[in-house]
Amino acid sequence: YIQTKTLAGRTKSDYLYNFKHYLKHLGKKSIRDITTDDLVRWYASGKEHPVGTERTFVTVKTVMNFAMALDYIDENPAAKAAALITRYSSRKSKEHLSSIYKNLSAFMESFLDTDISLVMRDWIVLAISTGLRKEESMTIKWEQVDLEEKVITIPKNKAMRYLQVPMVG
């Protein structure tokens, strides 16, 4: 999978680490021999590292979809497992995002009065209001900005897909 996809170096190393670290017991099995039950049991045993387990599960599901497309397996046991398990979600990050949203107006008001360059200020506002990655937001050209339609077009991004970002007030 990794050799056939155009993945960032960090993504490749994260995938390899997650598979070796979190999937070490299933890593000895052939992909054809991994069952839905194996994945359900593995996921349930990952309570000590819920974030790593969830990230690894997402990758396993993707890799197994790829294996299915190549006819290595007939069905994706991870897709079935996803229906049977209660997936981890981070309550902490939801609370953090909620806190940011509640305080955003006060932050923006005080931020606009901060003594920094206008270019830096405007870039930070753009990054905060769009959620664009640093590389995407710092390389925008004027021809990518449509003020009439109020969209910014990002033709190349980490996901390698054409992205249109709506402008906000």
Side-chain angles (χ1 to χ4, degrees):
Y1 176 80
I2 288 174
Q3 292 173 349
T4 63
K5 299 293 179 183
T6 306
L7 302 171
R10 173 75 190 261
T11 303
K12 287 180 190 178
S13 63
D14 285 351
Y15 283 4
L16 291 171
Y17 173 81
N18 287 345
F19 271 53
K20 286 178 185 169
H21 183 76
Y22 296 109
L23 274 179
K24 56 186 159 203
H25 301 297
L26 292 179
K28 294 177 173 82
K29 281 187 153 190
S30 163
I31 197 166
R32 290 182 177 109
D33 296 331
I34 296 174
T35 67
T36 301
D37 288 341
D38 289 335
L39 293 170
V40 169
R41 279 193 300 273
W42 164 77
Y43 195 91
S45 72
K47 290 179 181 159
E48 289 180 31
H49 304 283
V51 174
T53 301
E54 177 59 23
R55 286 181 180 161
T56 304
F57 182 76
V58 169
T59 307
V60 166
K61 197 169 156 197
T62 301
V63 169
M64 290 190 143
N65 276 336
F66 186 72
M68 225 171 72
L70 294 174
D71 292 326
Y72 288 132
I73 56 178
D74 294 326
E75 58 184 21
N76 184 346
K80 287 184 172 183
L84 299 172
I85 59 178
T86 301
R87 306 279 295 271
Y88 300 122
S89 67
S90 174
R91 184 172 164 236
K92 206 190 243 183
S93 65
K94 288 177 187 171
E95 289 171 359
H96 178 69
L97 289 174
S98 176
S99 170
I100 289 173
Y101 182 74
K102 287 177 188 170
N103 296 304
L104 189 58
S105 294
F107 169 78
M108 292 302 281
E109 285 177 29
S110 64
F111 177 70
L112 292 175
D113 294 333
T114 303
D115 187 28
I116 61 173
S117 77
L118 295 179
V119 171
M120 183 56 73
R121 182 202 67 196
D122 290 348
W123 171 74
I124 292 171
V125 170
L126 172 74
I128 289 172
S129 63
T130 61
L132 288 171
R133 292 180 174 90
K134 179 181 172 186
E135 183 67 25
E136 295 163 355
S137 63
M138 293 186 96
T139 57
I140 293 173
K141 306 276 187 244
W142 275 112
E143 57 264 18
Q144 294 171 254
V145 179
D146 185 337
L147 294 172
E148 286 182 28
E149 293 294 321
K150 301 210 181 321
V151 295
I152 302 167
T153 302
I154 313 290
K156 290 183 182 176
N157 56 55
K158 184 178 176 188
M160 304 300 280
R161 61 178 174 238
Y162 190 81
L163 178 66
Q164 285 196 316
V165 181
M167 291 184 212
V168 295

